[in-house]
Amino acid sequence: MIDLQDSPAPELPAAEAPPDPRGDDEARKSAKIMLVNREELGIEMLKAFLEQVGYRNLVSTCDPGEALDLLLDERPDVLLVDLALPEVSGLEILARMQGDRRLRSIPVIMLTEAGDAAAKLEALERGATDFLAKPVDSGELAARLRNALVFKACQDRLAYSDALTGLPNRERFLERLDWTLRFSRRYGTLGAVLHIGLDRFKQVNEALGPGGGDRLLWAVSQRLRESLRETDALACAPEEGQPPMLSRMGGDEFTVLLSVLDDSADAVRVAQRILAVFEAPFEVGGHELFVTCCIGIALFPADGTARDAVLKAAWLAMQQAKREGRDSYRFFSKDLGARSHQRLSLETELRKAVERQELEVFYQPKVDLAASRLVGAEALVRWRHSQRGMVSPADFIPLAEETGLIVPLGHWVLASACRQMAAWLAAGRRVPRISVNVSSQQFRQRGFPDHVRAALSGARLAPPYLCLEITESAIMENAQAFIETLDELKAGGVALSIDDFGTGYSSLSYLKRFPIDELKIDRSFINGVEHDNDNAAIVTAIIAMAHSLGLQVVAEGVENPQELGFLRDLGCEVCQGFLYSRPLPAANFGELLIPGGLPVMNPAPGATA
Ligand code: C2E
Ligand code: MG
Ligand code: MG
C-alpha cells in the first residue's frame, strides 16, 4: 500500500485514507515493488536500478511458480514481471491475478522483447498496465514505475476512502482489522474496536434533508478525527506507533480501531473522549444541533479473535448502549451475545404471533376521580406465548420497534380495540372512549390517518370513541413534521393524548400548537408522589400547565389511596392504575361495565391538604 505522507510499518496497510496521489516523490519511494524474472542476474540489475533512484522496499523471486503466493503474502504496490518466463508464463500470472479479487488491482509492468507486438497485445487484454522493453533503460524504468504508482494511489484513494468524510472506508478498516488481529494472535497483544452510532440520526436526516444530514456527518467526522489525534499518545503503545484508526462504516456509523492497548481502561478513556466530542452543538445550515452517540466496545482477544466476531461484538454492545439510553458506551459481554440469540428467536416467533393468534388485547380502566366513574379504557397488548407464558410488552414492544414489526402489530391492536369497543357499545355497555397506543413508526407512515379511518369504519365505530396515545419522546422526535398528521387526525374527530409525559423534552411552544386533548403523567412521577418532594413538584407543575392549556390530565400508575388523595387535591381529573384495576382480558373488563362493577375508592387525605 502506498502512503505518501507518513510511512507506517512497511507490511501494515496505512491507517489514514490513501493520501493524495500527487504527493511527493520521496514518500512514494516507500512503495513495495515486486520483481519476477527468470534470472537472478536480471533481478539484481533491476534492483540496482531501483535502489539507485531511491526505492527501498523491494521483494523478488526467480521462481514463477512461487510468484502468486508471494503476491498474496506481500501485496506489492506494483509488479514487474518478465513476459517470457519458463513453466508459468507472465501471461498466466496475469490471468490468475485477474481471477483473484485481492490481486486484481495491483498494476503490472511487463518486461518484453522489443517488437513482440502480438504478445504485448495479449498482455494488454489480460490486464497489464504498461510495458518495458528489454534491455531496460533506467530512466524509462523510473518514469513508468512512477506512473504506475500514481495510478495505484489514485485507485486506492477511490477504493479505500469514504467520499463524504475523507476517512478510511469500511474496506480499509476491515483490511487493517485483519492485519491487527493476526498481529494480536501472534504476539498476544490486547486491542479494541469501538463502534460508534449517532443517536436519532434518522430523524435529524429527515428534518434537515439529506444535504443537511451529510453536512452533519462531515462535521462529526472532523471532530472525531481531532479528538482521536489528541488520543494518540493514550491509545497506542509507543513502540507500535499505530495511532487509532477512525473509519466510516457507512450511514451514521463510525469505528475506531485501537491496535495495541495496555488494558481495557484505555478503551474507556477513548470512549469518554468521543462522547465529550458531542457536548457542544453542531452548526448545520444555520441550526444548532445537539447530537449524541452510543459506543459499543469489543476487546480482542477476549471477545473474539476473528474479524466478524469482533465486529459483531462491538455492534451488539452499541445496540445495547442505545437500548439503555443515549449518550453512553457499553462493553460487550458474553451475556449480551446469548441475549442477542434469544432476541433473534423471539423476533422469529413474534413474526408468527399474530398468525398463531397468540396476541391478545387487555383493557385497563381510566377513572374519573371526582365521580369514581369509568371514562375510558386503555388497550394494552399481551403475548400469550405457548412456551414462555405471558411475555410482557416491556420485553417485546422494544423488539417490535427495532425490527419494524411494530407497524403491523400496532395496526392489529388498533383494529382489535375498535372492534371490541363497537361490540361493547352494541351490547349496551357504555365505555366512553377507548385509548390505543401508537408507535412513532406507525405515526410516521404515510397514510396513517387513512389507516385509522379504515380501522374505525371497519368496526363501524364513530371517531370520537377513539383516543390515540403517542409518547412524548416519540412526538418530540419530529415535532414539526408530526403536527400535520396530528391536525389531520384531530380533524377526523379522533382524540389525542400525550403518553408518558414528563420523560421527554417538550417545549411549551409545541405543546400549545399540538391539537391534543389529554396529557398522561408518566407513572414514574406518580410513584410515592405524596412524600417524594421532587415528584410532587413535577406533578404539580404538569397539572397546572396542562390546565392552563385547557388539557385534561390523566395520572397513570396510581397504586394506593395516598397517591390518589394527593392527585385529587391538585385537581387531576382522571386516574389509571392498579388501585382500580390491572389491565384485564376483554371478557373480564366487560364485568366492570355493569353497574357497581367498578370499585369505589376513598382517597386518603392528600399531602397538600
Ligand atoms: P403505557 O402506554 O404507558 O401503558 C401503561 C403501562 O403501565 C401498562 O404497562 C400498564 O399495565 C402499566 N400500569 C398501569 N397501572 C399501573 C400501576 O398502578 N402500577 C404499575 N407499576 N404499572 C401500571 P404494560 O401493559 O406493560 O405496557 C407497557 C408499555 O408498552 C405501554 O406503556 C406502552 O408504551 C407499550 N404498549 C403496550 N401495548 C401497546 C400497543 O398496543 N402498541 C404500542 N405501540 N405500545 C404498546
Ligand atoms: Mg399508553
Ligand atoms: Mg404511559
Side-chain angles (χ1 to χ4, degrees):
M1 214 55 58
I2 315 166
D3 194 330
L4 301 180
Q5 288 170 349
D6 37 27
S7 38
E11 61 275 78
L12 182 67
E16 282 292 309
D20 191 324
R22 291 158 301 176
D24 66 299
D25 240 22
E26 206 28 60
R28 197 176 300 118
K29 299 290 165 57
S30 62
K32 188 184 282 185
I33 297 159
M34 181 167 148
L35 311 168
V36 184
N37 202 324
R38 66 188 138 168
E39 287 151 17
E40 193 90 44
L41 187 63
I43 286 191
E44 289 313 314
M45 274 175 56
L46 283 171
K47 276 189 171 172
F49 279 151
L50 292 172
E51 279 164 359
Q52 206 176 11
V53 283
Y55 291 100
R56 45 190 182 271
N57 196 358
L58 310 174
V59 286
S60 61
T61 178
C62 325
D63 177 0
E66 190 194 80
L68 277 164
D69 284 342
L70 197 62
L71 274 166
L72 280 170
D73 284 347
E74 298 287 347
R75 309 275 179 95
D77 293 301
V78 174
L79 172 68
L80 270 170
V81 60
D82 199 335
L83 186 61
L85 290 171
E87 297 153 34
V88 183
S89 74
L91 287 176
E92 231 172 298
I93 293 178
L94 262 183
R96 291 204 203 156
M97 285 175 76
Q98 288 304 308
D100 190 320
R101 194 175 48 83
R102 294 163 297 178
L103 304 178
R104 210 174 283 155
S105 63
I106 300 173
V108 181
I109 300 177
M110 307 233 73
L111 303 178
T112 59
E113 305 295 339
D116 194 354
K120 276 187 183 172
L121 191 65
E122 194 176 350
L124 274 179
E125 276 169 2
R126 293 206 188 180
T129 324
D130 205 352
F131 297 95
L132 201 55
K134 292 196 284 190
V136 173
D137 170 85
S138 60
E140 192 184 348
L141 170 62
R144 294 201 187 272
L145 200 53
R146 184 182 180 285
N147 289 350
L149 286 171
V150 169
F151 169 75
K152 175 74 171 19
C154 281
Q155 222 182 16
D156 282 355
R157 201 172 170 77
L158 286 176
Y160 286 117
S161 66
D162 174 55
L164 174 67
T165 60
L167 291 175
N169 65 7
R170 184 187 171 84
E171 291 301 309
R172 174 150 295 230
F173 180 82
L174 295 181
E175 205 168 273
R176 168 63 79 101
L177 179 59
D178 272 340
W179 186 92
T180 307
L181 289 171
R182 275 205 304 278
F183 185 91
S184 162
R185 283 195 294 270
R186 189 174 303 166
Y187 300 105
T189 50
L190 168 77
V193 169
L194 277 63
H195 194 121
I196 306 165
L198 302 190
D199 297 325
R200 303 198 310 174
F201 178 71
K202 212 166 144 208
Q203 281 79 38
V204 176
N205 209 22
E206 272 173 19
L208 296 177
D214 281 358
R215 281 199 292 282
L216 176 64
L217 288 172
W218 185 84
V220 166
S221 73
Q222 297 310 303
R223 279 205 203 164
L224 286 174
R225 202 199 285 254
E226 256 327 288
S227 102
L228 287 168
R229 208 162 275 155
E230 289 161 20
T231 351
D232 279 10
L234 168 92
C236 68
E239 67 275 13
E240 290 312 320
Q242 287 309 318
M245 181 192 200
L246 169 68
S247 70
R248 177 166 175 235
M249 294 301 262
D252 62 335
E253 300 195 354
F254 298 85
T255 42
V256 176
L257 173 62
L258 304 174
S259 311
V260 181
L261 294 174
D262 284 338
D263 68 75
S264 57
D266 288 343
V268 171
R269 280 192 280 275
V270 174
Q272 284 167 339
R273 288 237 181 140
I274 293 173
L275 291 177
V277 156
F278 292 87
E279 277 167 12
F282 290 87
E283 177 136 352
V284 178
H287 299 280
E288 275 210 334
L289 289 176
F290 281 94
V291 180
T292 53
C293 76
C294 279
I295 306 170
I297 307 175
L299 298 171
F300 47 85
D303 299 332
T305 52
R307 180 176 94 178
D308 289 352
V310 175
L311 285 175
K312 185 174 166 204
W315 183 81
L316 283 173
M318 181 199 67
Q319 293 293 324
Q320 185 60 21
K322 288 205 168 196
R323 274 193 291 278
E324 286 171 7
R326 295 171 192 144
D327 196 17
S328 59
Y329 68 86
R330 179 86 154 77
F331 275 98
F332 173 78
S333 67
K334 296 276 184 268
D335 172 47
L336 215 58
R339 257 191 287 160
S340 98
H341 245 90
Q342 264 181 11
R343 289 169 65 79
L344 196 67
S345 69
L346 202 64
E347 183 192 327
T348 317
E349 290 170 35
L350 186 54
R351 285 185 192 279
K352 296 183 190 146
V354 178
E355 277 166 42
R356 293 183 187 155
Q357 303 191 336
E358 290 180 346
L359 293 181
E360 190 177 336
V361 184
F362 276 32
Y363 298 87
Q364 188 180 33
K366 284 173 154 179
V367 181
D368 176 277
L369 248 170
S372 271
R373 190 169 46 89
L374 186 86
V375 289
E378 178 172 8
L380 293 158
V381 67
R382 296 288 180 265
W383 182 6
R384 263 186 224 280
H385 190 281
S386 50
Q387 276 113 49
R388 295 172 206 246
M390 195 67 95
V391 187
S392 154
D395 290 331
F396 70 88
I397 293 286
L399 181 67
E401 297 260 9
E402 263 170 54
T403 52
L405 280 172
I406 192 71
V407 174
L409 187 150
H411 287 353
W412 178 84
V413 174
L414 178 65
S416 308
C418 288
R419 279 197 304 269
Q420 183 58 62
M421 181 70 177
W424 279 326
L425 293 175
R429 300 193 155 170
R430 301 220 69 78
V431 184
R433 196 179 261 170
I434 189 107
S435 296
V436 176
N437 293 287
V438 175
S439 134
S440 65
Q441 287 189 51
Q442 281 172 276
F443 209 76
R444 245 185 274 141
Q445 296 248 307
R446 216 177 263 277
F448 176 67
D450 292 336
H451 182 84
V452 173
R453 269 192 288 275
L456 285 165
S457 61
R460 296 174 184 278
L461 187 67
Y465 283 116
L466 178 66
C467 173
L468 299 176
E469 292 190 8
I470 176 155
T471 62
E472 182 191 25
S473 49
I475 227 167
M476 292 315 294
E477 265 177 19
N478 202 349
Q480 186 63 43
F482 282 178
I483 284 186
E484 247 174 63
T485 314
L486 289 169
D487 282 339
E488 195 177 341
L489 289 163
K490 185 75 194 157
V494 170
L496 300 169
S497 166
I498 298 195
D499 203 353
D500 300 349
F501 192 79
T503 54
Y505 299 94
S506 282
S507 90
L508 202 58
S509 68
Y510 272 124
L511 270 188
K512 277 206 292 207
R513 287 162 58 196
F514 288 151
I516 42 172
D517 304 87
E518 176 185 280
L519 278 193
K520 289 186 83 173
I521 308 175
D522 189 65
R523 66 173 193 266
S524 58
F525 302 114
I526 304 300
N527 189 8
V529 68
E530 75 286 2
H531 55 73
D532 181 319
N533 290 341
D534 290 342
N535 279 0
I538 292 168
V539 171
T540 308
I542 294 178
I543 293 177
M545 182 191 66
H547 284 164
S548 74
L549 293 171
L551 304 175
Q552 171 172 278
V553 186
V554 180
E556 62 180 16
V558 181
E559 293 185 348
N560 58 53
Q562 288 73 29
E563 291 165 354
L564 186 70
F566 186 91
L567 291 160
R568 192 175 64 172
D569 291 348
L570 287 179
C572 173
E573 292 94 356
V574 178
C575 280
Q576 180 182 346
F578 294 171
L579 179 65
Y580 284 100
S581 167
R582 289 182 176 261
L584 299 170
N588 303 50
F589 188 86
E591 288 163 21
L592 296 181
L593 304 178
I594 53 176
L598 192 70
V600 177
M601 292 298 157
N602 292 317
T608 52

